[in-house]
């Protein structure tokens, strides 16, 4: 649903019934209807009610480090030029000329001081201002008010620890409030270095014939699949030798559908502390993080998580092949929906800017071998998601339920967990997935009008963190010190 539309999509009686039943069942029976994973109406509605209301990850500040740098990113169908202006401000403009709607930026990334529409030549600077109109005297008698026809800015834009998020809802809560307690866990992976994190290279991108929610579901809490899906990695010596290695962790979720799994080494299998990070990063991390965050990270082997709706985190220590020692790396994955049964995957490799070159090189190679576009783990997961989406497209298949009952009657929250959220003392659980789907269903059922008009009470808060400034709203001069 475009940001230009001010009406709200209506739910059919059938979809509303399925959502109400699903919300009841996920809370009471710990089951979820199969109909949500490959349905055209679900896709149409969630574009507005989920992606139109949530804070969605767009880019990392290191991707647009210099004035004029830009990338093109998406929230559902809406396409934005995320750029750093000559003034150092980070902005996101709808990639559409105000004259006839033509796409003005045809490259996915680069550096430009101006963007010129290839249709009629209207030209905008990288701050979004209309600065040139061909035949302005002849066609408009020099009376066109250019200031009224600047590029449209995203309603809300903010950053956290270098991550740039956008929101199409000008009335949505602040990014800081949206992330809430989950910031505690984001800090563990994104705030270990005094120099900050950087994205290395362009993101790898590929299309998978699968519903986007399967990627989020997998990363938000599914440690259980590793025993079977990735068993070959154990047999090849690229993962810990215990096939149930992902059992030994903590399973944590917070408000707004966010969740994370933090997995330590299996019993009797020694691994280096802090994932074998370089000494300088460990020293900086101990100074930057809270003591409880340091202790959570100390015995870590794998971290998997998801920021609702579609930003997943993987901080893993695995081997790139059967003869190499395990190496840690960090990847962010964005599951961009292209339809009810198709998504584009954006896969980013991040590393601490001040890490030694050997660590950056080994981490990147390990990422490529395991979770890159042809990575061994990645291929395992994609095949599962394609199969699920294909099978559940059938008429009879859509009328069933999926079991999310792991831990029912067996697991209780961990009273000794030092971090926020609801935590369970074993990562073979499905509370995170239920939390994710429950929030998704709540958003899908929420009836309220949609408007582009900004609310003073909901302007981008002082939680922006990064380099320069982040411009908050279209048509205003307000900026947020970052």
């Amino acid at each position: 649903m475009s940001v230009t539309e001010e009406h709200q999509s209506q739910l059919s009686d059938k979809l509303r019934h399925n959502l109400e039943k699903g919300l009841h069942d996920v809370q009471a029976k710990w089951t979820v209807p199969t109909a949500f994973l490959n349905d055209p109406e679900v896709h149409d509605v969630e574009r507005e009610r989920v992606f139109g209301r949530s804070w969605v990850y767009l880019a990392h500040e290191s991707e647009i480090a210099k004035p004029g740098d830009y990338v093109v990113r998406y929230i559902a169908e809406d396409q934005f030029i995320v750029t750093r202006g000559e003034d150092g401000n980070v902005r996101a403009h709808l990639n559409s000329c105000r004259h006839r709607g033509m796409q003005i930026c045809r490259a996915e990334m680069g550096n430009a001081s101006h963007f010129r529409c290839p249709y009629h030549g209207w030209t905008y600077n990288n701050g979004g201002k209309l600065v040139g109109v061909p035949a302005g005297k002849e066609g408009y008698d020099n009376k066109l008010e250019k200031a009224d026809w600047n590029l449209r800015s995203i309603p809300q834009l903010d950053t956290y620890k270098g991550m740039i998020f956008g929101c199409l809802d000008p009335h949505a809560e602040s990014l800081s409030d949206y992330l809430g307690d989950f910031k505690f866990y984001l800090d563990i992976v994104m705030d270990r270095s005094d120099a900050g994190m950087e994205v290395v290279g362009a993101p790898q991108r590929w299309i998978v014939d699968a519903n986007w929610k399967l990627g989020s579901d997998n990363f938000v809490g599914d440690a259980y699949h590793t025993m079977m899906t990735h068993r070959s990695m154990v047999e090849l010596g690229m993962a810990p030798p215990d096939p149930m290695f992902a059992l030994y962790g903590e399973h944590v979720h917070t408000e707004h559908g966010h969740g994370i799994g933090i997995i330590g080494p299996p019993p009797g299998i020694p691994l280096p502390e802090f994932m074998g990070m370089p000494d300088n990063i460990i020293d900086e991390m101990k100074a930057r993080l809270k003591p409880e965050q340091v202790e959570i990270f100390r015995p870590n082997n794998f971290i998997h998580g998801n920021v609702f709706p579609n930003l997943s985190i993987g901080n893993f220590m695995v081997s790139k092949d059967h003869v190499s020692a395990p190496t840690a790396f960090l990847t962010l994955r964005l599951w961009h929906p292209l339809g009810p049964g198709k998504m584009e995957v954006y896969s980013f490799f991040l590393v601490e800017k001040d890490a030694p070159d050997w660590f950056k090189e080994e981490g990147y190679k390990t990422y490529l071998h395991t979770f890159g576009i042809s990575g061994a783990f990645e291929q395992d997961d994609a095949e599962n998601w394609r199969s699920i989406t294909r099978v559940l497209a059938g008429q009879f298949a859509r009328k069933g339920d999926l079991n999310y009952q792991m831990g029912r009657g067996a697991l209780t929250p961990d009273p000794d967990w030092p971090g926020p959220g609801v935590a369970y003392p074993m990562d073979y659980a499905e509370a995170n997935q239920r939390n994710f789907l429950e929030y998704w269903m709540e958003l899908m059922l929420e009836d309220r009008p949609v408007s582009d008009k900004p609310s003073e009470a909901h302007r981008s808060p002082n939680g922006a963190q990064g380099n320069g400034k982040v411009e908050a709203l279209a048509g205003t001069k307000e900026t947020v010190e970052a």
Side-chain angles (χ1 to χ4, degrees):
M1 189 64 64
S2 168
V3 295
T4 62
E5 296 176 353
E6 295 188 352
H7 66 279
Q8 176 175 289
S9 59
Q10 299 298 311
L11 303 181
S12 68
D13 291 342
K14 179 180 179 181
L15 179 55
R16 183 175 295 278
H17 169 77
N18 284 342
L19 287 166
E20 290 174 346
K21 177 182 181 298
L23 187 59
H24 169 270
D25 289 352
V26 76
Q27 294 169 340
K29 298 168 58 178
W30 295 15
T31 61
V32 174
T34 56
F36 297 156
L37 288 177
N38 193 350
D39 182 84
E41 184 185 359
V42 168
H43 174 70
D44 287 341
V45 173
E46 70 184 0
R47 286 182 299 173
E48 177 188 308
R49 297 193 177 201
V50 175
F51 287 90
R53 296 172 181 174
S54 303
W55 282 90
V56 178
Y57 179 79
L58 294 173
H60 190 269
E61 284 199 80
S62 64
E63 297 182 86
I64 51 170
K66 298 179 296 184
D69 284 352
Y70 69 87
V71 295
V72 174
R73 298 288 157 78
Y74 300 81
I75 299 180
E77 279 78 17
D78 284 309
Q79 185 179 130
F80 293 95
I81 308 168
V82 184
T83 183
R84 189 178 296 278
E86 304 303 319
D87 55 4
N89 290 356
V90 176
R91 300 178 176 90
H93 306 295
L94 191 68
N95 190 11
S96 175
C97 181
R98 297 296 305 279
H99 182 226
R100 286 294 183 274
M102 178 68 180
Q103 180 184 7
I104 62 167
C105 183
R106 310 281 283 180
E108 293 289 332
M109 61 191 305
N111 184 283
S113 61
H114 294 77
F115 300 99
R116 177 174 292 136
C117 177
Y119 196 1
H120 298 98
W122 282 32
T123 303
Y124 305 83
N125 67 20
N126 57 22
K129 293 183 179 179
L130 178 63
V131 296
V133 177
K137 182 179 185 302
E138 295 82 359
Y140 298 92
D141 196 26
N142 288 330
K143 294 180 181 179
L144 178 67
E145 294 291 342
K146 293 187 182 72
D148 294 338
W149 297 101
N150 296 331
L151 292 177
R152 297 181 61 203
S153 296
I154 196 167
Q156 292 204 65
L157 186 72
D158 207 346
T159 72
Y160 185 75
K161 301 300 167 71
M163 297 179 289
I164 304 170
F165 292 83
C167 184
L168 303 185
D169 183 358
H171 303 286
E173 62 193 320
S174 70
L175 174 63
S176 181
D177 288 343
Y178 179 80
L179 295 175
D181 286 340
F182 203 70
K183 290 180 292 187
F184 176 94
Y185 301 103
L186 286 176
D187 290 352
I188 293 176
V189 295
M190 299 298 296
D191 195 25
R192 299 186 289 230
S193 162
D194 292 342
M197 306 295 291
E198 62 180 349
V199 172
V200 177
Q204 293 197 346
R205 298 167 57 180
W206 62 94
I207 291 174
V208 181
D209 291 328
N211 186 271
W212 70 271
K213 290 188 289 295
L214 292 170
S216 295
D217 179 279
N218 183 276
F219 271 75
V220 77
D222 192 343
Y224 183 46
H225 79 285
T226 57
M227 179 175 59
M228 181 60 67
T229 296
H230 301 311
R231 189 180 185 92
S232 60
M233 300 300 101
V234 175
E235 295 170 350
L236 289 172
M238 297 173 65
D242 183 347
M244 296 178 66
F245 64 87
L247 169 73
Y248 309 102
E250 202 80 12
H251 187 86
V252 189
H253 64 264
T254 65
E255 67 274 43
H256 298 133
H258 313 313
I260 195 164
I262 302 172
I263 302 169
I269 299 176
L271 290 173
E273 291 187 336
F274 303 114
M275 302 182 78
M277 301 284 289
D279 290 341
N280 68 309
I281 303 300
I282 293 174
D283 291 341
E284 293 171 16
M285 176 195 64
K286 289 180 177 178
R288 296 182 66 84
L289 299 182
K290 298 175 181 178
E292 52 268 40
Q293 291 172 312
V294 172
E295 293 310 308
I296 286 172
F297 187 60
R298 183 186 296 275
N300 182 61
N301 190 15
F302 298 90
I303 292 178
H304 60 89
N306 191 76
V307 178
F308 188 94
N310 64 331
L311 173 65
S312 288
I313 304 159
N315 195 182
F316 306 133
M317 182 171 62
V318 294
S319 301
K320 67 176 183 287
D321 53 45
H322 68 287
V323 296
S324 300
T327 302
F329 66 88
L330 174 63
T331 177
L332 298 181
R333 358 291 314 283
L334 198 60
W335 320 107
H336 170 53
L338 299 178
K342 181 177 291 188
M343 65 174 166
E344 183 173 16
V345 182
Y346 285 68
S347 178
F348 305 82
F349 171 79
L350 294 89
V351 69
E352 289 76 6
K353 291 180 182 178
D354 53 348
D357 289 342
W358 67 263
F359 181 76
K360 294 180 179 181
E361 182 177 349
E362 283 301 305
Y364 188 61
K365 289 179 179 177
T366 304
Y367 155 75
L368 290 177
H369 282 225
T370 56
F371 280 91
I373 188 170
S374 58
F377 285 85
E378 193 66 47
Q379 293 298 307
D380 289 343
D381 290 331
E383 177 54 31
N384 286 341
W385 305 336
R386 283 194 296 263
S387 178
I388 293 168
T389 303
R390 183 173 60 250
V391 168
L392 294 186
Q395 178 181 355
F396 181 71
R398 292 185 189 184
K399 299 177 182 179
D401 293 298
L402 300 174
N403 184 301
Y404 279 81
Q405 296 176 342
M406 180 170 282
R408 189 179 181 101
L411 283 179
T412 57
D414 185 352
D416 300 320
W417 180 246
V422 181
Y424 293 86
M426 185 173 71
D427 207 16
Y428 275 17
E430 291 171 342
N432 291 3
Q433 295 96 308
R434 294 193 300 273
N435 180 61
F436 171 88
L437 290 164
E438 182 176 345
Y439 186 63
W440 177 84
M441 284 184 264
E442 289 173 351
L443 288 178
M444 291 285 284
L445 283 166
E446 185 178 355
D447 295 318
R448 58 183 172 91
V450 177
S451 173
D452 283 347
K453 297 178 181 180
S455 167
E456 292 291 336
H458 289 82
R459 292 192 172 183
S460 190
N462 59 7
Q465 301 180 32
N467 300 318
K469 299 177 182 179
V470 177
E471 187 169 287
L473 291 164
T476 77
K477 295 182 179 178
E478 177 181 295
T479 57
V480 178
E481 294 289 346

